[in-house]
């Protein structure tokens, strides 16, 4: 089994807050990310795929096909968008890095596994100091 990773970048706005809480309570729990008038992040995402090397190509999977899937399923939907208002797969969810990583996994798993390899992890970095990793 061998692992390959595609790294992608996107920019998005969001607000991490519960509608049923006051602005004060949201600020207390979610900090700066609860700002009522939104804010943005430059996200970095690593999508890792695993499988066996195809002896005919030397590839686990064709990275251009992986790249096309990430673009279609994630980047076209989130880049320069508002995660809370514009992104169908985030509707009604709290746009924490954790939740975003899980929802990105759900978007990618089917199409990537259809290539004959397996989605291994989605790593998502929201700031220089914080990232999350999801393994399904
Ligand atoms: Ni934030």
């Amino acid at each position: 089994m061998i692992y390959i990773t595609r790294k992608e970048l996107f920019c998005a706005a969001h607000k991490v807050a519960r509608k049923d809480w006051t602005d004060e309570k949201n600020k207390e729990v979610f900090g700066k990310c609860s700002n009522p008038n939104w804010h943005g992040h430059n996200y970095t995402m690593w999508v890792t795929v695993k499988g066996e090397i195809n002896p005919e190509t030397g590839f686990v999977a064709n990275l251009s096909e992986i790249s096309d899937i990430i673009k279609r399923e994630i980047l076209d939907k989130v880049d320069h968008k508002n995660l809370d208002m514009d992104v169908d797969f985030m509707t009604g969810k709290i746009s924490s890095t954790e939740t975003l990583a899980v929802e990105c996994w759900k978007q990618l798993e089917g199409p990537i596994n259809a290539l004959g390899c397996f989605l291994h992890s989605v790593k998502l970095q929201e700031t220089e100091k914080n990232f999350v990793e999801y393994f399904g």
Side-chain angles (χ1 to χ4, degrees):
M1 192 73 78
I2 192 162
Y3 299 73
I4 56 172
T5 300
R6 175 80 182 184
K7 177 183 173 184
E8 300 285 358
L9 307 170
F10 61 91
C11 307
H14 81 154
K15 170 172 64 181
V16 181
R18 295 189 60 94
K19 289 194 176 89
D20 56 338
W21 288 358
T22 63
D23 287 352
E24 290 71 28
K25 170 95 184 229
N26 278 312
K27 177 102 191 278
E28 186 185 313
V29 174
F30 298 118
K32 288 200 287 191
C33 273
S34 73
N35 179 43
N37 290 329
W38 316 100
H39 64 282
H41 294 285
N42 298 321
Y43 290 91
T44 306
M45 184 170 63
W46 293 260
V47 175
T48 300
V49 167
K50 65 184 173 184
E52 300 298 338
I53 296 175
N54 178 337
E56 201 169 53
T57 60
F59 291 164
V60 170
N62 189 323
L63 273 173
S64 74
E65 290 181 313
I66 304 281
S67 166
D68 289 346
I69 290 169
I70 298 170
K71 180 175 188 307
R72 185 181 73 232
E73 301 294 336
I74 309 289
L75 301 179
D76 287 349
K77 297 177 181 177
V78 302
D79 189 34
H80 287 72
K81 300 286 172 53
N82 182 316
L83 298 176
D84 302 299
M85 299 176 74
D86 303 326
V87 179
D88 57 357
F89 64 79
M90 289 300 290
T91 302
K93 303 187 171 80
I94 293 178
S95 56
S96 64
T97 318
E98 293 90 324
T99 300
L100 185 56
V102 169
E103 296 306 318
C104 287
W105 170 286
K106 291 180 188 170
Q107 295 297 303
L108 295 169
E109 185 181 23
I112 284 180
N113 291 1
L115 297 178
C117 51
F118 299 98
L119 182 59
H120 173 68
S121 65
V122 172
K123 176 177 164 183
L124 192 61
Q125 183 173 44
E126 188 185 78
T127 69
E128 282 300 312
K129 295 179 180 174
N130 301 318
F131 66 84
V132 303
E133 289 177 283
Y134 184 60
F135 299 92

